[in-house]
Amino acid sequence: MQCFFCSQNLKDINYKEVDLLKRFVSSQAKIIDPRHTGTCAKHQRMLAVAIKRARIMGLLPFTRR
């Protein structure tokens, strides 16, 4: 499985792209493990930072009921 971001030639992951970030968040609003998503280590770190920033800004929830 190849990294989604490497295959799309994306250099930057923006916290404002909520639709993209939702693909990498579980139904309980947890960040999905890179073994399941197939992201490389570099992009997984960038993805985690973007998801955390989106949570702080109120674009993504911290938890789901």
Side-chain angles (χ1 to χ4, degrees):
M1 187 184 294
Q2 189 179 0
C3 175
F4 171 78
F5 300 103
C6 290
S7 65
Q8 297 293 322
N9 254 353
L10 296 175
K11 304 284 185 216
D12 198 23
I13 302 173
N14 195 346
Y15 71 92
K16 297 175 190 171
E17 298 176 14
V18 179
D19 294 331
L20 177 67
L21 297 179
K22 281 183 181 177
R23 295 180 57 192
F24 299 96
V25 174
S26 70
S27 61
Q28 293 143 1
K30 294 182 179 181
I31 300 172
I32 300 176
D33 193 74
R35 284 178 275 165
H36 296 297
T37 59
T39 55
C40 64
K42 176 177 127 180
H43 286 115
Q44 182 68 22
R45 288 191 299 271
M46 293 170 65
L47 182 66
V49 170
I51 289 172
K52 291 173 186 177
R53 284 183 182 162
R55 285 175 178 165
I56 295 294
M57 296 298 290
L59 302 174
L60 285 176
F62 281 95
T63 59
R64 299 227 170 117
R65 292 185 176 192

